[in-house]
Amino acid sequence: MKFMEVNVKNTNNIISKVYKDSIAWELGIEVGDLLISINDQPIHDIIEYRFLLSDEYLEVEIKKKNNEIYVYEIEKDYDEDLGIEFTNPIIDKAKSCRNKCVFCFIDQLPKGMRETLYFKDDDSRLSFLQGNFVTLTNMSEEDIDNIIRYRISPINISVHTTNPELRQKMIKNKFAGRLYEIMQRLADAQIQMNCQIVLCPGYNDKAELERTVSDLTKLYPYVNSAAAVPVGITKHREHLPNLEIFNEQTAGETIELVHELQEKYLNELGTRFIFLSDEFYIMANKKLLDYDEYEGFIQFENGVGMISKLEREIHDYLQTISYEKINSKKKISIATGHSAYEFIKNMASCIMNKCPGVEIEVYKIVNNFFGETITVSGLITATDIINQLKDKDLGQTLYIPRSMLKADEEIFLDNITLEELQNTMNIEVVPCLNEGKDFVDKILK
C-alpha cells in the first residue's frame, strides 16, 4: 500500500542494516528507510519495537528515502524477526545519570579520552540490551510500568546498599532510598534482576553488606544473584570525597564474611547467591572458588570467576592439542594488568610446557594513566603499553586482552586505535577474548 509524501519528524528510527533473506529484505526494505509505526503505534524506543514485533500479524509503516510512505502487511511466526537494525541502537536518546555517586569512576577520568566515556547512562533499556547496570533513580512511574508491560528482563541493578539513608548518602540522590520498593514491585511482576554492589570501605561493607545481601535474598529467585566488586580509585579525584581502598587485610576480612554468607544461603536457598569479584582474592592472596562453585558464572561480566573459568578452559583445550602438529618455533609476548599477571604467567608456562618451541614473555603493565591503584587489564591504555614496552624485545607478536578495547571498535580508552599502536610499536598486536580456546589458538595459530 503506497501513500504520497508525508512529513515525519522522528528520524531516530533510520534503518542501518537489512539482513539478507530476512522478511525486510524480501519486502524490499532498504538501508536508509525509516520505520514510522507498527500496527498504527509509533515506535519510540527499541523495547517498544521488540514488544510490538512479537505479534504474528503486522502492518509496518515505512518512509522510503524518496519520502514516500509504504505500509507492509506481514504474517510471520511469533518469534520471527524482521531482520533490520537501526542507526541508533535504542531508537531514542539514552537517559543520562543524575546521581553524584561518591565512587563514580567517570568523575575520576582525566581529559583526552574517548568522548563517549564521559557520558553517564542510567537507562533500563541499555540494561536489557547491553547489560549496563542502572540505579533505578532515573525512573518515572511510567518507566516502571513499561518494564512490567514489555517484560524487560533481566534488569541489571546497581544496588550498593538497601539501607535507604545510606544509599541516598552514597548516590547523592533523594530518590535513591526507593530502591527496595521498586525492586519488590518488579519481583512481584516476575522480572528477573541481577545485582551489583560496589563495596566502599567504611560505607557499605561489613554489617551493611550483610544487611544488603539479606534484603536481596528475600526477593529470590527474581533477584537471582549479587556480585560485590571493590571500589576503584584513580589519581584524578580532585574535589571528590575521600575514599579508602581495600588492602590485603580488609579484602581478606570481606572474603571471610562473604564465604559465611555463601554457606548460609547455599543451605537456605540452594545457591551461594553473593559472589566476590576475582580482585578481592588477588588482593588478599587467597584461593579463588573452584570452577563449579561459581554456579555457571552468572556474574561473569562483573569479573566474578573469570580466572577460574579461563584456567579450566585453557587446561581442557590444551589436552586436545597434539604437539606433533605444532612444530614451529617462535617468540611472542603478552601484556596484562597487575591483577592477572601471575595467572597469565602460569598459563603461559602451561602452553610452553605443551609446546616447547613457543617462547612466551608476559609483561605486567603498571597503570600510570589512571594510577597504580587501578590493576585490572580492561583499564590499561595504549599509552602505558607504548611507554613500558617500546624498548622491549617482544618477539613476533604482542597479545593483549580484548577487554582493553572498546566493545564494538578497536580503540583504547586513551583514544589510540589498535592500528596506531601497531604502527608505533612496529609489531603485530592481537587481542584475545577471555576464552581458553581463543587465547590458545591465537598464540599457537
Side-chain angles (χ1 to χ4, degrees):
M1 192 172 179
K2 182 176 175 181
F3 294 88
M4 297 302 293
E5 181 176 340
V6 176
N7 181 31
V8 180
K9 294 182 179 180
N10 184 9
T11 59
N12 286 324
N13 307 5
I14 296 174
I15 295 167
S16 63
K17 186 173 184 178
V18 179
Y19 287 91
K20 187 176 180 180
D21 298 327
S22 65
I23 293 174
W25 185 82
E26 292 176 353
L27 290 173
I29 295 173
E30 301 171 296
V31 170
D33 291 350
L34 187 143
L35 172 65
I36 299 173
S37 67
I38 295 178
N39 293 342
D40 293 325
Q41 182 163 331
I43 307 300
H44 299 107
D45 66 24
I46 192 68
I47 302 300
E48 199 167 49
Y49 167 74
R50 291 194 176 185
F51 177 76
L52 293 169
L53 203 63
S54 62
D55 287 346
E56 295 177 347
Y57 174 78
L58 305 178
E59 291 185 2
V60 178
E61 190 176 8
I62 294 284
K63 178 183 178 183
K64 303 295 288 183
K65 287 180 284 187
N66 62 4
N67 288 331
E68 293 180 338
I69 305 294
Y70 289 79
V71 176
Y72 299 92
E73 298 180 358
I74 300 169
E75 292 185 2
K76 65 177 193 62
D77 294 334
Y78 170 80
D79 58 351
E80 193 173 5
D81 193 81
L82 292 185
I84 59 178
E85 292 182 7
F86 301 95
T87 54
N88 181 349
I90 62 171
I91 313 182
D92 192 14
K93 185 177 179 179
K95 295 180 180 178
S96 62
C97 181
R98 296 194 294 262
N99 305 325
K100 289 292 293 182
C101 300
V102 295
F103 51 81
C104 180
F105 199 81
I106 295 175
D107 288 341
Q108 305 177 69
L109 297 182
K111 296 179 180 178
M113 302 180 69
R114 297 195 309 259
E115 185 177 348
T116 53
L117 292 169
Y118 300 98
F119 177 75
K120 303 180 187 180
D121 78 77
D122 198 20
D123 199 315
S124 59
R125 297 166 298 184
L126 290 173
S127 175
F128 174 66
L129 293 169
Q130 300 177 7
N132 297 23
F133 279 80
V134 294
T135 63
L136 302 185
T137 58
N138 198 36
M139 298 183 67
S140 65
E141 288 300 313
E142 182 182 6
D143 292 329
I144 299 169
D145 289 340
N146 283 341
I147 287 178
I148 295 170
R149 177 189 177 195
Y150 296 139
R151 309 301 303 164
I152 302 176
S153 184
I155 292 288
N156 296 328
I157 302 174
S158 291
V159 171
H160 311 313
T161 176
T162 54
N163 179 333
E165 293 78 19
L166 178 58
R167 196 165 193 265
Q168 287 178 349
K169 177 182 177 182
M170 293 185 69
I171 294 182
K172 298 189 183 303
N173 186 311
K174 64 182 180 180
F175 301 109
R178 293 185 57 224
L179 168 80
Y180 201 71
E181 166 197 334
I182 297 173
M183 291 183 68
Q184 282 181 310
R185 185 172 166 188
L186 295 177
D188 290 342
Q190 301 184 353
I191 300 296
Q192 291 290 319
M193 292 167 274
N194 301 307
C195 294
Q196 178 197 69
I197 302 165
V198 175
L199 275 186
C200 303
Y203 278 87
N204 60 340
D205 58 343
K206 299 180 180 177
E208 287 292 347
L209 173 61
E210 194 167 356
R211 167 185 171 157
T212 296
V213 175
S214 175
D215 286 343
L216 293 178
T217 58
K218 292 169 185 164
L219 301 180
Y220 181 82
Y222 303 109
V223 172
N224 56 29
S225 68
V229 302
V231 62
I233 302 297
T234 80
K235 64 182 181 182
H236 307 281
R237 283 193 61 84
E238 296 83 0
H239 312 298
L240 295 175
N242 289 327
L243 279 178
E244 298 294 326
I245 60 173
F246 284 92
N247 55 37
E248 182 175 350
Q249 178 182 338
T250 54
E253 291 169 353
T254 303
I255 291 170
E256 290 178 9
L257 170 61
V258 168
H259 282 188
E260 290 176 5
L261 294 175
Q262 288 177 332
E263 186 175 350
K264 168 183 169 68
Y265 295 117
L266 190 60
N267 290 329
E268 293 181 3
L269 302 176
T271 174
R272 290 170 179 81
F273 188 82
I274 173 69
F275 297 89
L276 291 173
S277 68
D278 294 357
E279 292 171 79
F280 279 103
Y281 296 90
I282 293 168
M283 281 189 285
N285 292 312
K286 299 280 189 182
K287 179 181 176 296
L288 283 87
L289 298 183
D290 292 334
Y291 182 91
D292 293 334
E293 292 176 316
Y294 283 105
E295 300 181 17
F297 300 93
I298 49 182
Q299 287 281 357
F300 184 77
E301 296 302 323
N302 268 316
V304 174
M306 281 188 171
I307 289 177
S308 293
K309 184 174 184 289
L310 185 58
E311 181 178 33
R312 169 70 68 88
E313 290 172 350
I314 290 173
H315 283 308
D316 287 352
Y317 188 57
L318 284 174
Q319 297 305 311
T320 70
I321 295 175
S322 172
Y323 170 65
E324 288 73 20
K325 296 181 180 179
I326 306 168
N327 49 26
S328 62
K329 291 184 178 293
K330 64 177 180 177
K331 177 180 179 180
I332 60 111
S333 299
I334 302 173
T336 188
H338 173 82
S339 290
Y341 175 69
E342 292 297 334
F343 167 70
I344 295 298
K345 276 187 66 177
N346 290 336
M347 294 301 98
S349 296
C350 291
I351 294 172
M352 288 188 287
N353 289 337
K354 180 76 175 183
C355 312
V358 179
E359 180 184 348
I360 305 173
E361 189 70 38
V362 181
Y363 290 96
K364 175 170 56 179
I365 305 299
V366 177
N367 200 323
N368 294 320
F369 191 89
F370 288 113
E372 294 186 21
T373 57
I374 302 300
T375 60
V376 295
S377 299
L379 294 175
I380 295 292
T381 59
T383 300
D384 279 333
I385 293 175
I386 293 168
N387 290 340
Q388 296 173 45
L389 299 185
K390 61 186 176 183
D391 298 324
K392 305 292 185 184
D393 178 10
L394 301 175
Q396 297 170 234
T397 309
L398 173 65
Y399 296 87
I400 62 171
R402 181 63 182 78
S403 59
M404 290 183 183
L405 302 170
K406 188 179 178 184
D408 58 352
E409 191 178 352
E410 292 187 332
I411 188 168
F412 291 84
L413 289 165
D414 51 353
N415 222 20
I416 296 175
T417 66
L418 183 65
E419 183 179 3
E420 289 170 338
L421 174 64
Q422 291 182 122
N423 293 338
T424 301
M425 300 286 291
N426 195 29
I427 190 173
E428 179 188 28
V429 182
V430 176
C432 297
L433 298 175
N434 203 350
E435 299 171 2
K437 184 178 186 301
D438 186 76
F439 182 76
V440 175
D441 276 348
K442 283 180 176 172
I443 287 175
L444 300 181
K445 292 190 176 178

XYZ file of all heavy atoms in Angstrom, residues 213-255:
334
model
N 22.692 -8.013 51.501
C 22.538 -9.359 50.940
C 21.297 -10.034 51.517
O 20.531 -10.677 50.793
C 23.802 -10.204 51.207
C 23.601 -11.640 50.723
C 25.004 -9.580 50.511
N 21.057 -9.849 52.801
C 19.879 -10.429 53.436
C 18.600 -9.897 52.793
O 17.669 -10.662 52.495
C 19.881 -10.122 54.932
O 18.695 -10.576 55.543
N 18.550 -8.583 52.560
C 17.366 -7.988 51.934
C 17.163 -8.530 50.520
O 16.034 -8.828 50.103
C 17.505 -6.466 51.881
C 17.310 -5.809 53.241
O 16.752 -6.466 54.146
O 17.729 -4.648 53.399
N 18.245 -8.651 49.765
C 18.137 -9.100 48.376
C 17.690 -10.547 48.277
O 16.932 -10.916 47.368
C 19.476 -8.913 47.655
C 19.934 -7.461 47.444
C 21.294 -7.429 46.771
C 18.915 -6.675 46.623
N 18.134 -11.377 49.214
C 17.734 -12.790 49.156
C 16.234 -12.956 49.375
O 15.655 -13.959 48.944
C 18.488 -13.629 50.206
O 18.244 -13.103 51.521
C 19.981 -13.655 49.928
N 15.596 -11.982 50.018
C 14.147 -12.065 50.231
C 13.381 -11.924 48.911
O 12.183 -12.242 48.857
C 13.701 -10.991 51.227
C 14.224 -11.253 52.642
C 14.024 -10.076 53.558
C 14.665 -10.347 54.917
N 14.837 -9.138 55.719
N 14.052 -11.427 47.875
C 13.430 -11.297 46.556
C 13.852 -12.434 45.620
O 13.526 -12.412 44.436
C 13.800 -9.947 45.930
C 13.403 -8.703 46.734
C 13.828 -7.443 46.004
C 11.903 -8.673 47.007
N 14.582 -13.402 46.143
C 14.964 -14.567 45.358
C 13.710 -15.387 45.045
O 12.824 -15.480 45.886
C 15.966 -15.412 46.168
C 16.474 -16.645 45.449
C 17.519 -16.545 44.539
C 15.896 -17.890 45.681
C 17.992 -17.668 43.881
C 16.355 -19.017 45.017
C 17.399 -18.894 44.119
O 17.860 -20.014 43.459
N 13.543 -15.957 43.847
C 14.538 -16.115 42.778
C 14.531 -15.007 41.729
O 15.259 -15.107 40.743
C 14.099 -17.431 42.134
C 12.611 -17.397 42.233
C 12.303 -16.733 43.570
N 13.717 -13.952 41.906
C 13.681 -12.902 40.886
C 14.934 -12.049 40.952
O 15.406 -11.564 39.927
C 12.389 -12.097 41.009
C 11.200 -13.016 40.893
C 10.394 -13.314 41.986
C 10.933 -13.669 39.688
C 9.342 -14.204 41.882
C 9.888 -14.561 39.572
C 9.100 -14.827 40.677
O 8.066 -15.736 40.567
N 15.474 -11.849 42.135
C 16.878 -11.435 42.249
C 17.651 -12.732 42.382
O 17.594 -13.387 43.420
C 17.114 -10.522 43.464
C 18.604 -10.275 43.654
C 16.386 -9.195 43.292
N 18.354 -13.123 41.322
C 18.955 -14.464 41.354
C 20.400 -14.486 41.813
O 20.941 -15.560 42.085
C 18.829 -15.158 39.988
C 19.436 -14.346 38.860
O 20.368 -13.587 39.062
N 18.902 -14.514 37.665
N 21.048 -13.320 41.911
C 22.420 -13.286 42.411
C 22.842 -11.841 42.633
O 22.215 -10.904 42.131
C 23.385 -13.959 41.425
O 23.491 -13.191 40.246
N 23.941 -11.694 43.371
C 24.542 -10.380 43.577
C 26.053 -10.532 43.511
O 26.604 -11.540 43.942
C 24.133 -9.795 44.927
N 26.702 -9.526 42.946
C 28.164 -9.513 42.870
C 28.684 -8.279 43.595
O 28.129 -7.183 43.453
C 28.618 -9.496 41.416
N 29.740 -8.461 44.361
C 30.393 -7.344 45.038
C 31.758 -7.124 44.399
O 32.542 -8.060 44.251
C 30.544 -7.619 46.529
N 32.012 -5.879 44.017
C 33.290 -5.511 43.410
C 33.918 -4.395 44.241
O 33.200 -3.579 44.829
C 33.110 -5.061 41.944
C 32.452 -6.161 41.124
C 32.277 -3.786 41.857
N 35.248 -4.337 44.318
C 35.879 -3.288 45.123
C 35.850 -1.941 44.413
O 35.942 -1.869 43.187
C 37.320 -3.795 45.281
C 37.567 -4.619 44.060
C 36.241 -5.247 43.725
N 35.714 -0.869 45.176
C 35.727 0.465 44.605
C 37.068 0.703 43.911
O 38.114 0.261 44.375
C 35.481 1.524 45.700
C 36.578 1.513 46.762
C 35.330 2.908 45.086
N 37.020 1.380 42.764
C 38.234 1.725 42.042
C 38.543 3.201 42.190
O 37.675 4.050 41.969
N 39.766 3.500 42.591
C 40.172 4.882 42.840
C 41.304 5.257 41.877
O 42.359 4.620 41.878
C 40.668 5.070 44.292
C 39.577 4.677 45.285
C 41.125 6.502 44.527
C 38.354 5.538 45.199
N 41.088 6.267 41.041
C 42.157 6.738 40.166
C 42.887 7.895 40.839
O 42.500 8.362 41.921
C 41.596 7.214 38.805
O 41.066 8.534 38.946
C 40.526 6.275 38.289
N 43.922 8.375 40.175
C 44.688 9.508 40.724
C 44.059 10.850 40.342
O 44.601 11.899 40.675
C 46.128 9.449 40.245
C 46.309 9.594 38.742
C 47.779 9.463 38.349
C 47.980 9.637 36.847
N 49.400 9.469 36.459
N 42.912 10.780 39.666
C 42.246 12.006 39.217
C 40.976 12.244 40.041
O 39.866 12.210 39.529
C 41.891 11.894 37.733
C 43.053 11.532 36.865
N 44.002 12.444 36.465
C 43.432 10.336 36.337
C 44.911 11.843 35.715
N 44.589 10.563 35.627
N 41.136 12.480 41.336
C 39.976 12.645 42.228
C 39.930 14.036 42.860
O 39.456 14.210 43.986
C 40.005 11.584 43.335
C 39.566 10.207 42.874
C 39.308 9.283 44.071
N 38.272 9.749 44.953
C 36.976 9.541 44.774
N 36.561 8.874 43.714
N 36.100 9.995 45.640
N 40.393 15.019 42.130
C 40.357 16.379 42.672
C 38.921 16.794 43.000
O 38.009 16.587 42.210
C 40.955 17.371 41.662
C 42.418 17.162 41.349
C 42.660 16.102 40.290
O 41.648 15.536 39.795
O 43.826 15.824 39.967
N 38.737 17.356 44.193
C 37.453 17.897 44.651
C 36.383 16.803 44.822
O 35.187 17.100 44.826
C 36.930 18.975 43.692
C 37.948 20.000 43.323
N 38.531 20.825 44.264
C 38.507 20.323 42.120
C 39.396 21.631 43.659
N 39.401 21.340 42.368
N 36.799 15.559 44.959
C 35.857 14.465 45.198
C 36.028 13.953 46.628
O 37.067 14.156 47.249
C 36.104 13.325 44.196
C 35.824 13.658 42.725
C 36.217 12.484 41.836
C 34.354 14.009 42.510
N 34.999 13.278 47.178
C 35.089 12.796 48.562
C 36.260 11.828 48.760
O 36.645 11.087 47.837
C 33.742 12.069 48.765
C 32.833 12.630 47.729
C 33.698 12.983 46.558
N 36.816 11.842 49.955
C 37.894 10.905 50.284
C 37.329 9.495 50.392
O 36.297 9.273 51.020
C 38.563 11.284 51.606
C 39.390 12.553 51.489
O 39.975 12.817 50.434
N 39.433 13.334 52.554
N 38.019 8.552 49.771
C 37.610 7.151 49.828
C 38.821 6.283 50.105
O 39.908 6.530 49.576
C 36.977 6.708 48.509
C 35.511 7.058 48.252
C 35.107 6.578 46.867
C 34.598 6.430 49.295
N 38.620 5.268 50.924
C 39.661 4.272 51.169
C 39.502 3.149 50.143
O 38.412 2.925 49.600
C 39.548 3.704 52.578
C 39.721 4.738 53.693
C 41.125 5.302 53.725
O 42.066 4.532 53.406
O 41.290 6.495 54.060
N 40.585 2.445 49.885
C 40.510 1.269 49.038
C 40.820 0.035 49.877
O 41.357 0.130 50.978
C 41.469 1.359 47.839
C 42.919 1.495 48.313
C 41.090 2.511 46.925
C 43.932 1.429 47.180
N 40.475 -1.128 49.349
C 40.736 -2.369 50.064
C 42.221 -2.700 50.014
O 42.913 -2.402 49.041
C 39.920 -3.516 49.453
C 38.465 -3.489 49.826
C 37.541 -2.839 49.025
C 38.040 -4.096 51.000
C 36.200 -2.812 49.363
C 36.690 -4.071 51.362
C 35.771 -3.425 50.546
N 42.696 -3.338 51.082
C 44.069 -3.838 51.133
C 44.026 -5.328 51.437
O 42.936 -5.934 51.489
C 44.897 -3.075 52.179
C 44.251 -3.098 53.567
O 43.666 -4.096 53.969
N 44.355 -1.992 54.297
N 45.167 -5.926 51.646
C 45.209 -7.374 51.857
C 44.359 -7.799 53.055
O 43.617 -8.781 52.991
C 46.657 -7.835 52.054
C 46.794 -9.337 52.220
C 48.235 -9.786 52.284
O 49.134 -8.968 52.004
O 48.475 -10.979 52.607
N 44.433 -7.023 54.147
C 43.686 -7.392 55.348
C 42.182 -7.220 55.158
O 41.402 -8.140 55.439
C 44.149 -6.551 56.540
C 43.372 -6.859 57.828
C 43.794 -5.986 59.001
O 44.903 -5.454 59.005
N 42.920 -5.825 59.983
N 41.759 -6.051 54.687
C 40.315 -5.796 54.565
C 39.688 -6.647 53.459
O 38.529 -7.048 53.571
C 40.041 -4.306 54.307
O 40.787 -3.868 53.164
C 40.433 -3.463 55.511
N 40.458 -6.925 52.413
C 39.948 -7.823 51.370
C 39.763 -9.225 51.948
O 38.759 -9.907 51.674
C 40.905 -7.860 50.185
N 40.710 -9.672 52.778
C 40.600 -10.985 53.415
C 39.406 -11.069 54.348
O 38.694 -12.089 54.385
N 39.159 -9.999 55.108
C 38.001 -9.973 56.015
C 36.693 -10.037 55.221
O 35.728 -10.700 55.639
C 38.046 -8.700 56.861
C 39.191 -8.685 57.867
C 39.379 -7.312 58.520
O 38.695 -6.351 58.070
O 40.194 -7.202 59.448
N 36.652 -9.360 54.088
C 35.458 -9.385 53.238
C 35.221 -10.782 52.681
O 34.075 -11.260 52.630
C 35.595 -8.361 52.099
O 35.817 -7.063 52.652
C 34.341 -8.335 51.231
N 36.287 -11.454 52.291
C 36.169 -12.826 51.778
C 35.602 -13.748 52.855
O 34.705 -14.568 52.588
C 37.539 -13.339 51.285
C 37.961 -12.584 50.017
C 37.490 -14.848 51.007
C 39.390 -12.846 49.592
